[in-house]
DNA sequence: ATTAACCATAAGATATACTTATCGTTACAA
DNA sequence: TTGTAACGATAAGTATATCTTATGGTTAAT
């Protein structure tokens, strides 16, 4: 049995409606013999006649009448598929799984997600917050669509785009706030509190002090910037935080914030996605939304 | 935009399931390039990419994932259409509009409809009871599928098939039951009660007596055999009824039934349908059901 | 660095779908 | 009854789709 085709269904529907081969063919934009042949083909495929042809009328058989509503249903569903395609042509729809590192998420996400869901109301955003390494692994394996991390990532399969640059500020006890701001070399000799291993921000801070990340340090590592700032407030040491975190983290603690003189420690925040992703265009739009969002927290 | 095809949907579904062009092509019984091309065609038609191809994996895009269940729905509906066709291959299904003349309907239908719906449980039978002329008109115009009438009908567009032959019996008052049975010539001189104009049975009875149907007769015409028999019971005259009607009509009346001697008055009951109908085969089966049914009332 | 896996592309072959021209039947009118 | 118009089926040729095999290019693993 030859396969049924949507074309046959369309012709069948037209003929069922018009009851006239010539007119149905006209409406379908083909010649009458073409329609006759496709109807015949359909009838052969189904093994039953669909129309009864007499000199004056073309009538649906009982079976044809059974079929007609089903065929219309199918054609309508196909049209819906086309509509859906047209609709989601340029807008992001459906599920978007986005990863964010912990030293960005709490500061950037509130504003970002607001902008994002406003721009793409039909978007179903899933956020995953974990360290860069995990995000990249999940991204390359297709369990995430994009990630917001510190650049560079240097994965050959990933595309990376810069969102903004952000410098780090010193957080020290209020008591020390009148002391001169230490430079990188000074900092290396101070009690510098850092995030635990695996956070890129830890590496970036250490790099500023020209220290090796892998060296074992004192056990005062914290699991979040918030914890670190609280420790600083308790007079245990000093730390660095990204400028974006100032508002959220230093309000409630007894700490002072200071910018460094000269060469600034900083990081580049960007978004990455698989080079193979067909949504590159949309991701770039998301990047510009992120730029907007970042301005509200800087 | 080129048209979508069920073929593309089938390939899309296979690829969505297998996530691998080669295997999906195998399953679909085509070569891998053929599948690649159809998927590309589908993506072009819809204006959006459906799969993300990387070296190791073929993944549905968000849009593709939206699409997949819809496409499966459509394919399932198409399969249902095929099932429906297979199922109604040789059995009569759906609506059957059948006409019956009034001098057959009450006697034959009860048994016939029982057999019919037993044989074709999914058949939705509509019965129309009216005179031959109307039935034939409705039949030729497609408002009926078949009719049970007295033959011949002699409509060139209709096929007619005999079901059985049935003779007519005399109905007279019980008081006359000892008198000899009149012959056709005697009958012409008696007070013969008949159905009103338009009933073929009237014409057949008159033909037996060698009388012209169109001649105006006394106003004692009745609208149903039942009425005629009641009139006979009241001593107003005699009448003819088809043998099939004896059981139903003569039980409750004070009448006697007698068969004619020699040449029997009779009629041929048959079924007719449009020669163009594709259901001729099934109608012949119905005829044999009617033969069965008629035996139970003869 | 080589190989294997895998999807895309190219070129040619085959199958499908369409066109125009024409036939055969039916219904209606002269 | 005969001619005629309407209409669907059929035939023959052409265009278009679709498939095949062969091959290319990219990626990831040995």
């Amino acid at each position: 049995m030859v396969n049924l085709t949507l074309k046959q269904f369309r012709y069948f529907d037209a003929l069922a409606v018009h009851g006239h081969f010539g007119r149905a063919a006209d409406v379908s934009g083909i010649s009458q013999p073409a329609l006759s042949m496709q109807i015949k083909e359909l009838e052969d495929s189904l093994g039953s006649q669909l129309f009864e042809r007499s000199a004056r009328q073309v009538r649906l058989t009982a079976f044809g009448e059974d079929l007609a509503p089903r065929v219309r249903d199918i054609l309508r569903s196909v049209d819906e598929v086309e509509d859906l395609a047209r609709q989601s042509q340029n807008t992001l729809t459906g599920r978007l799984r986005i990863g964010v590192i912990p030293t960005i998420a709490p500061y950037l996400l509130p504003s970002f997600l607001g902008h994002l869901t406003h721009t793409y109301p039909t978007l179903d955003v899933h956020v995953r917050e974990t360290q860069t390494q995990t995000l990249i692994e999940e991204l390359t394996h297709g369990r995430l669509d994009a990630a917001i991390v510190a650049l560079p990532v240097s994965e050959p399969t990933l595309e990376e785009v810069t969102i903004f640059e952000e410098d780090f500020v010193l957080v020290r006890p209020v008591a020390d706030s009148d002391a001169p701001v230490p430079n990188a070399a000074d900092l290396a000799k101070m009690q510098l509190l850092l995030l635990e291993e695996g956070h890129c921000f830890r590496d970036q801070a250490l790099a500023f002090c020209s220290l090796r990340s892998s060296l074992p340090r004192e056990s005062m590592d914290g699991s979040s910037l918030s914890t670190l700032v609280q420790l600083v407030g308790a007079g245990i040491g000093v730390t660095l935080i990204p400028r974006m975190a100032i508002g959220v983290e230093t309000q409630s603690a007894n700490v002072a914030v200071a910018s460094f003189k000269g060469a600034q420690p900083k990081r580049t925040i960007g978004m990455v996605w698989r080079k193979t992703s067909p949504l590159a265009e949309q991701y770039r739009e998301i990047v510009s939304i992120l730029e907007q969002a970042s301005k509200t927290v800087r």
Side-chain angles (χ1 to χ4, degrees), chain A residues 5 19 33 37 43 71 90-91 99 108 119 122 129 142 166 184 265 279:
Chain A
T5 69
M37 285 163 66
E43 289 178 327
V71 165
N90 281 314
T91 75
L108 193 54
T119 311
T122 61
E129 179 182 331
E166 176 188 41
L279 296 171

Side-chain angles (χ1 to χ4, degrees), chain A residues 3 57 72 76 82 105 144 170 176 284 286:
Chain A
N3 274 325
Q57 278 185 76
R72 280 185 198 120
R76 195 174 32 67
E82 286 172 351
L144 282 178
L170 179 71
D176 305 355
R284 285 179 203 283
I286 291 182

Side-chain angles (χ1 to χ4, degrees), chain A residues 4-292:
Chain A
L4 307 182
T5 69
L6 287 178
K7 197 177 288 199
Q8 289 167 354
F9 283 175
R10 293 223 163 79
Y11 296 168
F12 167 76
D13 185 42
L15 185 55
V17 167
H18 291 94
H20 187 288
F21 278 77
R23 275 189 285 280
D26 261 9
V27 167
S28 306
I30 55 168
S31 65
Q32 170 263 313
L35 187 114
S36 284
M37 285 163 66
Q38 286 298 322
I39 294 294
K40 186 157 166 282
E41 189 77 18
L42 181 61
E43 289 178 327
D44 288 353
S45 295
L46 294 175
S48 305
Q49 230 174 302
L50 298 169
F51 295 94
E52 180 185 330
R53 291 92 154 149
S54 63
R56 204 100 317 247
Q57 278 185 76
V58 173
R59 255 188 304 276
L60 278 170
T61 62
F63 174 56
E65 237 155 50
D66 266 12
L67 217 58
R70 290 169 178 272
V71 165
R72 280 185 198 120
D73 269 6
I74 291 172
L75 293 176
R76 195 174 32 67
S77 299
V78 172
D79 289 348
E80 278 173 16
V81 161
E82 286 172 351
D83 291 348
L84 189 71
R86 227 187 319 281
Q87 193 181 338
S88 71
Q89 201 78 359
N90 281 314
T91 75
L92 211 47
T93 350
R95 188 194 54 192
L96 176 72
R97 298 158 306 180
I98 195 160
V100 191
I101 56 175
T103 54
I104 298 178
Y107 321 117
L108 193 54
L109 280 190
S111 167
F112 164 57
L113 291 180
H115 285 254
L116 187 64
T117 55
H118 180 258
T119 311
Y120 301 107
T122 61
L123 194 63
D124 174 24
V125 183
H126 294 221
V127 174
R128 171 132 172 78
E129 179 182 331
T130 187
Q131 296 171 11
T132 302
Q133 190 186 351
T134 311
L135 291 182
I136 297 308
E137 193 268 339
E138 296 188 352
L139 187 54
T140 50
H141 286 75
R143 297 197 296 277
L144 282 178
D145 298 312
I148 300 167
V149 296
L151 301 185
V153 168
S154 304
E155 263 284 319
T157 62
L158 297 184
E159 171 127 25
E160 26 188 281
V161 169
T162 298
I163 301 168
F164 61 94
E165 296 212 325
E166 176 188 41
D167 50 33
F168 304 159
V169 295
L170 179 71
V171 179
R172 49 184 179 179
V174 178
D176 305 355
S177 62
D178 290 337
V181 177
N183 61 20
D186 301 334
L187 210 54
K189 297 175 215 129
M190 298 172 72
Q191 176 71 325
L192 181 60
L193 306 178
L194 291 175
L195 291 176
E196 57 200 4
E197 283 259 6
H199 287 276
C200 60
F201 185 70
R202 171 194 173 95
D203 304 335
Q204 289 148 3
L206 286 171
F208 176 60
C209 313
S210 310
L211 293 172
R212 295 269 313 286
S213 160
S214 55
L215 287 177
R217 292 183 52 83
E218 65 286 337
S219 57
M220 207 50 79
D221 297 348
S223 60
S224 74
L225 294 181
S226 186
T227 306
L228 294 182
V229 171
Q230 293 304 322
L231 291 174
V232 170
I236 304 204
V238 302
T239 193
L240 299 185
I241 61 170
R243 183 170 291 282
M244 199 165 50
I246 294 173
V248 174
E249 304 297 359
T250 64
Q251 300 288 23
S252 59
N254 200 26
V255 296
V257 172
S259 298
F260 290 96
K261 310 293 178 199
Q264 295 290 316
K266 62 180 185 192
R267 63 178 181 177
T268 304
I269 305 298
M271 198 161 90
V272 294
W273 58 81
R274 289 182 300 279
K275 280 178 178 163
T276 53
S277 170
L279 296 171
E281 202 54 49
Q282 279 86 330
Y283 291 158
R284 285 179 203 283
E285 276 186 47
I286 291 182
V287 166
S288 74
I289 290 174
L290 278 162
E291 281 175 328
Q292 294 296 110

